[in-house]
Amino acid sequence: MKGQMQKAEVNVSTVTQFVLIGFSDLPNLQKFLFGVFSIIYLIIIIGNSLIIILTRLDPALQKPMYFFLANFSLLEISYVSVTLPRMLFNLWTQQRRISLWECAIQMCFFLMLGATECFLLAVMAYDRYVAICNPLHDTLVMNEKTCTQLAVGSWVTGIPIQIGQTAQIFSLHFCHSNRIYHFFCDLPPIIKLACGDTFVHEMSVYAVAMLFAVVPFMLILFSYSKIISTILKLPTASGRSKAFSTCSSHLLVVILFFGSATITYLRLKCTHSAGLDKLLSLFYTIVTPMLNPMIYSLRNRDVIAAMRKLLFKKIV
């Protein structure tokens, strides 16, 4: 019976579902991991929701920077909700099977939201560039209409390309196995299961990664080179300290997200390993969304002040 099940898993013509191996190599830690990731999920939801609420209610936070921060927090909640609930379900029930369509839908939303994150981080860097390098024109350049257009553009630009890429990947035949050595349906482990020559598909992944990751990252680097140059010219130490404090939070998030994601998607196929892929994926799918509220709130005086006012009102 066991031999028949293994045959079914590698039969090209009958693959209608995958098996998410996830953390099954740690059988004694399944419930512990479920508890840890459940707490992390709650922290992500509560922390990012609090930022959204603060930016909506506090008049002092009605600025372009906090408008984009609210968008970013909403994005992080959506981004992590694509992968983490399914992982929690698998850890609790040990039912690791996922249909071909469910896997494709998960990957598609994950890629679309990942593209949004890349663009939104670039937009946030541009906002900081305008605010610090051209402060006299800040309100004219980053007006309400422009901010809305930039935010909407970040959310929708990647949708058609990522739908097309997902359709391309799932048009492949899968013959090596249907066992995905990952905790969600990500591009590298899925391509690894495909039979035949996948060179064209790998190149398309690199091309899309260059468009959605490398190009925004270069724009961010350009923005921050100008920002740092301007900050160093500020006459007072307090002015430099405040500007660095505002920008360092965003820069830290950029390094965490782009660093782990770029290594994952731009490595050659032969250098991929299941363990390293899972470790890197944890950074850009779970760790970064969890740290974002802490990074932005602990290093931002306006957010801390708004939080204190909200808590004071609740206590009174």
Side-chain angles (χ1 to χ4, degrees):
M1 182 70 180
K2 189 176 179 181
Q4 290 177 348
M5 287 179 65
Q6 289 177 341
K7 275 186 179 181
E9 285 188 341
V10 297
N11 191 332
V12 179
S13 61
T14 59
V15 171
T16 58
Q17 59 183 3
F18 292 109
V19 179
L20 288 167
I21 300 302
F23 300 97
S24 60
D25 55 336
L26 304 169
N28 298 325
L29 296 176
Q30 297 298 291
K31 300 305 181 193
F32 172 75
L33 289 174
F34 175 84
V36 169
F37 286 123
S38 294
I39 293 170
I40 290 174
Y41 191 38
L42 284 174
I43 291 172
I44 292 169
I45 297 295
I46 294 170
N48 285 286
S49 296
L50 181 59
I51 286 180
I52 295 171
I53 292 168
L54 289 174
T55 56
R56 293 290 295 175
L57 295 181
D58 197 296
L61 301 183
Q62 304 303 308
K63 301 175 184 177
M65 180 173 75
Y66 301 111
F67 169 76
F68 292 124
L69 181 56
N71 270 269
F72 192 67
S73 294
L74 177 61
L75 172 64
E76 293 294 60
I77 292 172
S78 306
Y79 188 61
V80 79
S81 296
V82 171
T83 58
L84 199 46
R86 180 77 198 198
M87 183 173 72
L88 292 173
F89 173 80
N90 292 345
L91 285 169
W92 183 257
T93 65
Q94 299 299 301
Q95 297 178 15
R96 304 181 183 279
R97 296 185 179 275
I98 183 170
S99 72
L100 204 67
W101 281 106
E102 287 174 328
C103 192
I105 290 169
Q106 184 187 56
M107 178 190 284
C108 188
F109 275 98
F110 175 77
L111 293 176
M112 288 190 297
L113 293 171
T116 300
E117 182 144 358
C118 293
F119 286 129
L120 199 52
L121 284 170
V123 167
M124 292 169 77
Y126 174 69
D127 170 62
R128 291 298 82 213
Y129 163 75
V130 174
I132 293 173
C133 299
N134 297 288
L136 297 178
H137 300 94
D138 185 20
T139 54
L140 293 174
V141 176
M142 301 302 290
N143 54 56
E144 185 177 349
K145 181 180 178 182
T146 301
C147 290
T148 303
Q149 288 174 339
L150 288 171
V152 172
S154 299
W155 281 94
V156 305
T157 300
I159 291 176
I161 295 176
Q162 298 297 9
I163 289 175
Q165 184 170 58
T166 303
Q168 182 189 43
I169 296 301
F170 279 87
S171 67
L172 293 167
H173 292 293
F174 302 99
C175 57
H176 299 311
S177 171
N178 68 345
R179 298 166 69 85
I180 302 173
Y181 290 90
H182 212 315
F183 56 88
F184 71 99
C185 294
D186 202 2
L187 275 170
I190 293 291
I191 292 179
K192 190 178 287 188
L193 300 181
C195 54
D197 186 7
T198 59
F199 177 78
V200 173
H201 297 84
E202 288 179 62
M203 289 301 102
S204 72
V205 170
Y206 293 145
V208 172
M210 291 290 287
L211 175 63
F212 290 131
V214 177
V215 172
F217 185 64
M218 295 305 293
L219 291 173
I220 291 169
L221 288 182
F222 175 77
S223 297
Y224 272 98
S225 67
K226 296 291 186 181
I227 288 169
I228 292 171
S229 175
T230 302
I231 289 174
L232 293 175
K233 294 175 184 176
L234 292 176
T236 62
S238 60
R240 289 194 295 270
S241 176
K242 183 178 180 181
F244 270 123
S245 177
T246 302
C247 295
S248 60
S249 303
H250 180 252
L251 199 54
L252 181 57
V253 172
V254 167
I255 292 170
L256 285 172
F257 177 77
F258 278 101
S260 54
T262 301
I263 294 171
T264 299
Y265 286 96
L266 294 182
R267 281 185 299 149
L268 296 174
K269 183 180 178 181
C270 59
T271 63
H272 281 277
S273 67
L276 184 57
D277 282 348
K278 281 192 286 188
L279 180 62
L280 290 170
S281 297
L282 283 173
F283 269 94
Y284 63 82
T285 59
I286 295 174
V287 175
T288 304
M290 180 183 68
L291 294 178
N292 282 346
M294 302 177 198
I295 291 170
Y296 280 111
S297 60
L298 294 177
R299 297 187 62 83
N300 190 296
R301 295 174 185 175
D302 292 338
V303 174
I304 292 174
M307 200 176 299
R308 284 175 178 168
K309 281 196 289 184
L310 182 66
L311 291 174
F312 181 75
K313 284 181 181 178
K314 293 294 182 183
I315 294 171
V316 174

